[in-house]
Amino acid sequence: MSARVDVAVVGGGIVGLASAFRLLEARPDLEVVVLEREAEVGQGQSSRNSGVLHAGLYYPPGSAKARWCTAGKRELERFCADHDVPVARTGKVVAAVRRDELPRLQGLADRAHTNGVEVERLGPTGVLDHEPNLRALAGLWSPSTAVTDFGAVCRALAERVRRDGGAVRTGTEVVGIEQHPDHVRLTTTSGDVEARTVVACAGLQADRLARLAGTGGRERIVPFRGSWLRLRDDRTDLVKGSIYPVPQPGLPFLGVHLTRRIDGQVWIGPNAVLALAREGRGPWSLNPGDLRDTLRFPGLYRLARREFGTAVAEVWRDRVVRATVREVQRYVPDVGLADVCRGPWGVRAQLMEPTGDLVDDFRLRRDGRLLHVLNAPSPAATASLAIGAELRDQVLAQL
Ligand SMILES: Cc1cc2nc3c(=O)[nH]c(=O)nc-3n(C[C@H](O)[C@H](O)[C@H](O)COP(=O)(O)OP(=O)(O)OC[C@H]3O[C@@H](n4cnc5c(N)ncnc54)[C@H](O)[C@@H]3O)c2cc1C
């Protein structure tokens, strides 16, 4: 016998949990279940990230990222305050260290202004007020950038979903999806579930879930690993908040940054190299199926042709710690090789078009009674409650 619910959410990462929370907040009468294949919620990207609550200055005005990042950050800060999840407004300096970065820094300031995000232009001495060890030609100060522990946010969301009458079933992998006129049948590793509507928030498996439902488009998730270095504990005083480079045009990644985390550690990274597995135990884990899928995707070769130099530099810095330290010394000259050790890593779910274009904005797709979150890269953790609100509205319109 299968369990019957109104809404089944596939994926207990921050986006899936935020959607379930939002649904129950609006309609406590609904039966909502979150199905998560791992033994705990939030074990994927949602707890392997920089932990930055982005203010929203980078994103093209009018894009879903621009709208949902600012709204989502506000709501997440409120949620954290209400649920005893620590948040620290440590602020961030985006630093220009080369002359050719100055026009791009100005472009970023203009964009922040259009997005309604507070930033302040800084000269070479102004940056020292915020980051005394930073050497830069100019900077942008974002006072509202904050840090938190998104893994703790996931646990608090799961707790709220349960308290509000929903269910969170861990150790439950969805392995089959059948659409019927009045319901969707999910085959899972712990029994079938019949739902009036399904919201799929499967992160690194988003494209596969869509294909499982028979509606996959031509785009694919291409996994990019990001690894960090860590400042040794007795050197963390070199950084007060976050120091980011001016982002490279044409790429959705923000570049290697220094971030003081909520627990006081300072992480340097993440870089971006092609991952050999979507999920794995170590940074070099290899999953033959994942690798085959990536290598068979024509978009990868088109991107590689366009960004060959960047890809080689990223792999070089990934392997040679000294190369990353040299890069960091352009911003904080006092960071030496002896001050860092290798840190953790995480894998980004990045949607790519067959043309090789990396999909920059969030992408949701409706397919009958299924709603797929196909692309939820950074700042989706920051924006999770706003993405959840959008998913809630789409689900309620259908029920
Ligand atoms: C290196 C890195 C740095 C980042 N830094 C930041 C940052 O500073 N700030 C920020 O806002 N964002 C950041 N992000 C992005 C952010 O972490 C993600 O956008 C966000 O966590 C996505 O959440 P999600 O719920 O969509 O995916 P996930 O957290 O990956 O959750 C998906 C869940 O679905 C489950 N699942 C998959 N398939 C199935 C199935 N068949 N059945 C059941 N369950 C399934 C998985 O087990 C997983 O738990 C970063 C990401 C990375 C990787």
Side-chain angles (χ1 to χ4, degrees), residues 10-17 35-38 40-54 150 172-175 201-205 209 212 224-226 228 244 257 270-271 279 345-349 373 376-383:
V10 184
I14 199 164
V15 175
L17 291 164
L35 307 169
E36 167 53 50
R37 71 179 186 182
E38 300 297 333
E40 308 275 343
V41 296
Q43 296 296 293
Q45 300 173 89
S46 296
S47 53
R48 294 179 155 273
N49 54 50
S50 299
V52 176
L53 277 161
H54 288 289
F150 288 120
T172 301
E173 181 174 1
V174 172
V175 292
C201 310
L204 283 150
Q205 303 294 334
L209 255 285
L212 205 56
F224 285 94
R225 173 169 56 79
W228 288 271
Y244 276 63
H257 42 269
N271 55 16
E279 286 112 0
W345 54 276
V347 179
R348 303 174 182 86
V373 177
S378 184
T382 305

Side-chain angles (χ1 to χ4, degrees), residues 264-397:
Q265 289 188 9
V266 174
W267 288 11
I268 301 170
N271 55 16
V273 299
L274 196 66
L276 307 179
R278 295 193 185 195
E279 286 112 0
R281 282 174 184 278
W284 291 98
S285 293
L286 188 153
N287 177 312
D290 289 350
L291 188 59
R292 199 173 44 238
D293 271 6
T294 303
L295 294 179
R296 279 185 182 162
F297 185 54
L300 178 74
Y301 301 97
R302 297 190 175 118
L303 177 74
R305 260 201 302 276
R306 282 204 301 269
E307 297 291 345
F308 185 73
T310 310
V312 170
E314 287 289 317
V315 173
W316 174 248
R317 280 196 294 265
D318 187 57
R319 299 316 307 139
V320 182
V321 172
R322 199 182 310 114
T324 304
V325 170
R326 226 178 277 132
E327 178 70 16
V328 168
Q329 283 170 338
R330 299 191 316 124
Y331 298 84
V332 186
D334 288 352
V335 174
L337 194 55
D339 298 325
V340 301
C341 51
R342 282 200 184 267
W345 54 276
V347 179
R348 303 174 182 86
Q350 175 59 55
L351 200 67
M352 192 191 283
E353 302 283 10
T355 54
D357 291 328
L358 299 173
V359 177
D360 188 30
D361 210 358
F362 299 141
R363 183 173 289 179
L364 316 181
R365 181 172 298 152
R366 171 176 287 289
D367 160 34
R369 292 178 170 274
L370 277 141
L371 198 51
H372 292 279
V373 177
L374 286 177
N375 197 43
S378 184
T382 305
S384 51
L385 284 173
I387 301 174
E390 171 66 26
L391 292 167
R392 171 201 64 203
D393 291 348
Q394 294 206 25
V395 166
L396 294 184

Side-chain angles (χ1 to χ4, degrees), residues 22-314:
R22 286 305 214 185
L23 273 162
L24 287 162
E25 188 186 43
R27 287 279 307 272
D29 57 307
L30 290 180
E31 282 205 51
V32 177
V33 63
V34 178
L35 307 169
E36 167 53 50
R37 71 179 186 182
E38 300 297 333
E40 308 275 343
V41 296
Q43 296 296 293
Q45 300 173 89
S46 296
S47 53
R48 294 179 155 273
N49 54 50
S50 299
V52 176
L53 277 161
H54 288 289
L57 49 111
Y58 296 105
Y59 315 114
S63 64
K65 276 189 177 179
R67 286 178 286 127
W68 295 343
C69 182
T70 41
K73 175 174 183 285
R74 228 177 10 249
E75 291 157 13
L76 199 60
E77 283 183 318
R78 202 175 312 131
F79 178 89
C80 289
D82 291 346
H83 295 81
D84 289 330
V85 178
V87 171
R89 281 208 174 189
T90 42
K92 125 164 132 183
V93 178
V94 182
V97 293
R98 287 194 325 248
R99 295 222 150 269
D100 63 311
E101 290 173 342
L102 294 174
R104 278 189 279 135
L105 191 73
Q106 182 56 48
L108 206 55
D110 296 342
R111 187 171 270 195
H113 184 69
T114 313
N115 288 343
V117 177
E118 182 191 354
V119 288
E120 186 192 330
R121 283 298 308 257
L122 303 170
T125 50
V127 296
L128 300 175
D129 294 340
H130 300 287
E131 292 290 350
N133 297 296
L134 171 62
R135 298 293 172 268
L137 296 175
L140 265 194
W141 169 240
S142 161
S144 62
T145 296
V147 288
T148 190
D149 173 353
F150 288 120
V153 174
C154 288
R155 292 190 289 280
L157 282 167
E159 180 58 38
R160 263 310 291 267
V161 168
R162 290 192 176 107
R163 195 167 4 125
D164 293 351
V168 180
R169 280 171 52 183
T170 51
T172 301
E173 181 174 1
V174 172
V175 292
I177 302 176
E178 269 173 39
Q179 284 221 53
H180 296 271
D182 60 349
H183 71 275
V184 180
R185 173 179 287 268
L186 299 176
T187 308
T188 85
T189 48
S190 59
D192 289 2
V193 175
E194 268 182 31
R196 289 166 67 199
T197 302
V198 170
V199 185
C201 310
L204 283 150
Q205 303 294 334
D207 57 337
R208 288 183 177 153
L209 255 285
R211 291 212 293 283
L212 205 56
T215 58
R218 295 183 62 223
E219 66 274 72
R220 286 285 177 278
I221 291 286
V222 175
F224 285 94
R225 173 169 56 79
S227 292
W228 288 271
L229 297 177
R230 208 159 62 70
L231 276 186
R232 293 194 185 278
D233 290 347
D234 58 341
R235 296 294 277 159
T236 55
D237 55 351
L238 284 170
V239 178
K240 285 173 71 180
S242 288
I243 300 173
Y244 276 63
V246 180
Q248 239 180 293
L251 287 174
F253 310 129
L254 297 180
V256 166
H257 42 269
L258 298 100
T259 302
R260 174 174 287 275
R261 292 174 60 83
I262 194 77
D263 60 4
Q265 289 188 9
V266 174
W267 288 11
I268 301 170
N271 55 16
V273 299
L274 196 66
L276 307 179
R278 295 193 185 195
E279 286 112 0
R281 282 174 184 278
W284 291 98
S285 293
L286 188 153
N287 177 312
D290 289 350
L291 188 59
R292 199 173 44 238
D293 271 6
T294 303
L295 294 179
R296 279 185 182 162
F297 185 54
L300 178 74
Y301 301 97
R302 297 190 175 118
L303 177 74
R305 260 201 302 276
R306 282 204 301 269
E307 297 291 345
F308 185 73
T310 310
V312 170
E314 287 289 317

